[in-house]
Amino acid sequence: MRLSQLFTKTSKTVPADESARNAQLLIQAGYISKEMAGVYSYLPLGKRVLDNIAQIVREEMNDIGGQEVQLSVLQNPEIWQKSGRWDDKVVDNWFKTKLKNGTELGIGLTHEEPLTQALGTNINSYKELPVYIYQIQTKFRNELRSKSGLLRGREFLMKDLYSYSKSQADHRKFYEKAADAYIKVYKRLGIGDITYRTYASGGIFSKFSDEFQTISDVGEDTIYVHEARRIAVNKEVLTDDVLNELKLNRNELAEKKAVEVGNIFSLGSKYADSLDVYFTDEKGQQQSVIMGSYGIGISRLMGLLAEHFADDKGLVWPVNVAPAKVYIARLGDDSATVKQADKLYDDLTNSSIEVIYDDRDLRAGNKFADADLLGIPYRVVISTTTANDNNFEYKSRSSEETHRMTFEELLKLLGRDN
RNA sequence: CGGGGUGUAGCGCAGCUCGGUAGCGCGCCGCGUUCGGGACGCGGAGGUCGUGGGUUCAAAUCCCGCCACCCCGACCA
């Protein structure tokens, strides 16, 4: 992508109507724009980051047998009435709207009911279970107060997977598999070391649910971490009984602020039963389907990563999610420099390496500052000097050192995490 | 939803106490000089002062209502 053609621009000033660091940085760098409180649009670079995160999640979900779907946003009240979740007194953060004829509709905030309903006509026999179905879709929740930029919006991108199993044993097996897949996701996003599987309140169907909590000062949750065992307990369930059950000693736990970046829980047969979805077992008996749900906030993760991977100059994206791997800063517009820069841009692009090519008519300082603010992992400077020497100046975003190298050396360095 | 704060040019702000019809920096446009860490000079464009009402000869400024945004709290199946 040539920067001269990118319609977004960076800003030198921090937006006044944001105090969350993630939103400040992402807006300043032109990744997102704010529409209203808790509602953001994703601009070209932000869209790339969001897609990169979603893709990592998608790959891990596919890996455990997930089938991707896209369910409707508009919701039919009837099925929600069957499960008892239509009433505002039960679920208070619905967005609801109306058809022209006055019929009420819901705007999707989760999808247990519609998916189970859709599944019902397809599942009859134990031979057809288990199934694991997921989507990556915008969710709408009418939060009383949104805050912390992308960490808590009224409209946000979420991956939600639902498992349908024929027994508790099968369910538990998949549940653990899903938990492992979540760990892989966080590892790939570069936050594996600060993310903990956390015991949290389980609702009516199981004693605990499992949250995945990433340590961060901007977190809304308080968790108690057992570093050696890589697990944590959410403050909301921390009692002596629970500690005994988990064989945890209170004085081995460290209190931390954390952001909930995932939550998986067991739902039993409540939704399947309330929507009359059953299967016939080996003996010809009708049985309940055991369900689980597994969420990851994609846009929230983007906010968390922006918050975590940043310094006083701007963002510092992990390579896996960065909107581009390399930032080519071309200094000067003499023909030799332009030729070398254009060629490098083409060569890297042809090697499937994503490049942001700063071909704008700006001074060096402006380009360096933008490279830093945008947080592109690697920077290559091209100038008359490098053109004359037929080599390139390379620098990592997270280091101050620059190195001169040949194209082959550069390609080797840039290709290494592909 | 309770408490606190803020709304003035694309962005960041001053002006409001003490009413007289709007200014600064950045950005943008033109010309010139510059050109490896956010250059400089000269010229220029751009504003229903959140919104509705009231007071007044006169309102960005005073009074009342509303809306939006931020923060703290409560809430988050």
Side-chain angles (χ1 to χ4, degrees):
Chain A
M1 170 181 296
R2 285 175 182 260
L3 267 194
S4 61
Q5 290 167 5
L6 183 68
F7 82 84
T8 59
K9 275 205 302 197
T10 59
S11 165
K12 282 191 202 174
T13 48
V14 179
D17 62 347
E18 293 284 359
S19 59
R21 185 76 178 133
N22 69 86
Q24 289 179 344
L25 282 168
L26 290 168
I27 290 169
Q28 245 189 292
Y31 282 78
I32 63 175
S33 76
K34 182 185 206 155
E35 301 302 326
M36 58 188 109
V39 179
Y40 297 88
S41 292
Y42 294 82
L43 306 178
L45 299 179
K47 169 77 169 141
R48 283 196 186 189
V49 173
L50 197 65
D51 286 348
N52 288 343
I53 297 170
Q55 183 56 26
I56 287 173
V57 173
R58 177 178 287 118
E59 286 168 12
E60 296 302 335
M61 293 305 104
N62 289 343
D63 205 49
I64 57 173
Q67 303 178 51
E68 186 168 3
V69 296
Q70 181 169 316
L71 302 171
S72 70
V73 170
L74 293 178
Q75 297 295 313
N76 181 348
E78 286 181 21
I79 58 176
W80 295 86
Q81 278 153 357
K82 285 185 186 170
S83 68
R85 292 209 292 181
W86 179 251
D87 196 323
D88 288 334
K89 288 194 272 294
V90 179
V91 174
D92 66 1
N93 55 4
W94 267 113
F95 277 107
K96 290 178 179 174
T97 186
K98 281 187 175 132
L99 292 177
K100 290 286 187 196
N101 69 11
T103 304
E104 247 191 328
L105 297 182
I107 296 177
L109 38 50
T110 182
H111 286 263
E112 283 85 0
E113 282 84 345
L115 180 58
T116 303
Q117 172 78 14
L119 206 69
T121 55
N122 294 290
I123 298 295
N124 299 298
S125 157
Y126 73 94
K127 295 174 190 168
E128 293 152 350
L129 292 174
V131 290
Y132 314 117
I133 302 168
Y134 75 98
Q135 62 174 343
I136 294 171
Q137 192 207 37
T138 304
K139 297 276 189 278
F140 299 86
R141 293 188 190 179
N142 203 342
E143 302 281 355
L144 233 40
R145 180 187 166 202
S146 65
K147 59 174 185 174
S148 308
L150 292 188
L151 297 182
R152 175 126 180 232
R154 297 198 167 93
E155 173 179 334
F156 55 93
L157 192 66
M158 180 172 172
K159 184 282 302 178
D160 45 330
L161 182 145
Y162 305 93
S163 67
Y164 296 84
S165 303
K166 57 183 189 287
S167 68
Q168 276 296 347
D170 282 6
H171 167 73
R172 282 310 308 182
K173 241 165 78 186
F174 179 77
Y175 189 92
E176 287 306 315
K177 224 166 131 179
D180 290 345
Y182 272 42
I183 298 288
K184 285 185 194 163
V185 166
Y186 304 124
K187 209 170 267 177
R188 290 178 66 183
L189 294 175
I191 52 173
D193 53 335
I194 50 168
T195 303
Y196 295 85
R197 181 169 173 177
T198 303
Y199 291 93
S201 65
I204 22 178
F205 308 108
S206 61
K207 182 153 188 187
F208 299 113
S209 74
D210 289 270
E211 292 175 343
F212 293 82
Q213 295 273 5
T214 304
I215 306 301
S216 171
D217 290 338
V218 296
E220 296 183 340
D221 288 310
T222 302
I223 64 169
Y224 291 82
V225 173
H226 191 288
E227 184 55 49
R229 287 174 56 187
R230 296 296 306 167
I231 59 171
V233 181
N234 195 309
K235 186 177 187 176
E236 64 192 23
V237 296
L238 189 82
T239 62
D240 288 334
D241 286 349
V242 167
L243 288 175
N244 285 337
E245 187 181 338
L246 301 175
K247 298 192 173 61
L248 286 170
N249 199 326
R250 200 178 272 263
N251 56 31
E252 294 172 335
L253 302 176
E255 182 182 300
K256 302 277 188 190
K257 285 273 176 211
V259 173
E260 184 189 325
V261 292
N263 190 193
I264 65 179
F265 42 114
S266 299
L267 298 177
S269 60
K270 175 187 155 86
Y271 296 108
D273 288 354
S274 58
L275 291 162
D276 293 317
V277 177
Y278 301 99
F279 70 94
T280 307
D281 68 13
E282 296 90 325
K283 295 171 187 139
Q285 302 292 307
Q286 189 183 74
Q287 299 290 351
S288 287
V289 180
I290 308 298
M291 207 175 151
S293 84
Y294 313 78
I296 291 184
I298 306 286
S299 50
R300 174 179 282 183
L301 272 170
M302 178 167 162
L304 176 82
L305 294 176
E307 192 87 30
H308 184 68
F309 294 107
D311 60 19
D312 56 339
K313 289 178 180 158
L315 298 156
V316 189
W317 293 115
V319 175
N320 283 350
V321 302
K325 198 166 191 178
V326 197
Y327 189 102
I328 298 178
R330 188 190 76 201
L331 309 186
D333 56 0
D334 56 285
S335 61
T337 306
V338 171
K339 195 176 161 196
Q340 193 196 24
D342 283 358
K343 183 165 183 345
L344 181 65
Y345 176 53
D346 290 341
D347 289 347
L348 291 178
T349 303
N350 291 336
S351 306
S352 300
I353 293 171
E354 295 255 285
V355 182
I356 287 178
Y357 176 18
D358 195 344
D359 59 340
R360 299 173 299 177
D361 180 22
L362 290 177
R363 315 182 112 232
N366 290 288
K367 298 196 176 193
F368 295 157
D370 274 352
D372 289 340
L373 177 59
L374 292 179
I376 309 305
Y378 306 112
R379 188 186 82 189
V380 174
V381 173
I382 289 176
S383 63
T384 34
T385 330
T386 64
N388 288 337
D389 297 353
N390 193 29
N391 62 17
F392 303 93
E393 178 187 301
Y394 165 96
K395 176 185 169 300
S396 161
R397 172 67 176 83
S398 50
S399 156
E400 287 309 311
E401 294 169 32
T402 60
H403 304 278
R404 294 285 284 270
M405 58 184 67
T406 64
F407 176 72
E408 288 69 29
E409 291 169 326
L410 184 63
L411 193 62
K412 202 174 155 194
L413 263 180
L414 295 176
R416 73 186 161 191
D417 352 67
N418 270 349

